[in-house]
Amino acid sequence: QVQLVESGGGSVQAGGSLTLSCAASGAIGSFNALGWYRDSPGKQRELVARIFSSDATKYADDVKGRFTISRNGAGNMVYLLMNSLKPEDTAKYYCHWERIIPEPRQTSWGQGTQVTVSS
């Protein structure tokens, strides 16, 4: 079982920046993906960004160019640098882990951290 603990949420004015951090512990494996999803009022949980153990990344279209996902060398920390924040980025952000190899795939979620962007 993999445990995920997020930190770094908070309140910021539009145009500001925040960095979210997530610490992963347990059997995270060598072939995995760490990422961030968010829950906004009235919307389904959506992908924000993912980073794979190969260091390949994937971003939602509306955060490209503003957010940057990264991980440490050990692969057990993932960060989300959020620049040029907009009120529509207000959401609860969840850290996510997925084991890709070996099958079967497994996933874990963190408890979430709130990000509030005021106009």
Side-chain angles (χ1 to χ4, degrees), residues 40-116:
S40 306
K43 296 176 69 174
Q44 289 187 331
R45 184 169 296 185
E46 60 179 359
L47 171 70
V48 177
R50 294 184 86 191
I51 184 165
F52 297 84
S53 48
S54 63
D55 286 333
T57 57
K58 179 182 173 92
Y59 293 92
D61 287 342
D62 61 350
V63 306
K64 284 180 182 176
R66 299 190 298 123
F67 291 10
T68 302
I69 191 169
S70 62
R71 61 195 293 168
N72 68 346
N76 58 358
M77 291 289 300
V78 63
Y79 308 96
L80 186 68
L81 171 61
M82 304 184 291
N83 292 324
S84 303
L85 282 161
K86 304 175 182 179
E88 50 265 44
D89 294 317
T90 294
K92 193 164 187 178
Y93 285 70
Y94 293 88
C95 185
H96 177 260
W97 166 86
E98 180 180 12
R99 185 182 74 185
I100 297 173
I101 297 173
E103 297 279 359
R105 295 194 176 195
Q106 293 183 346
T107 64
S108 286
W109 292 95
Q111 294 299 304
T113 185
Q114 180 67 35
V115 172
T116 302

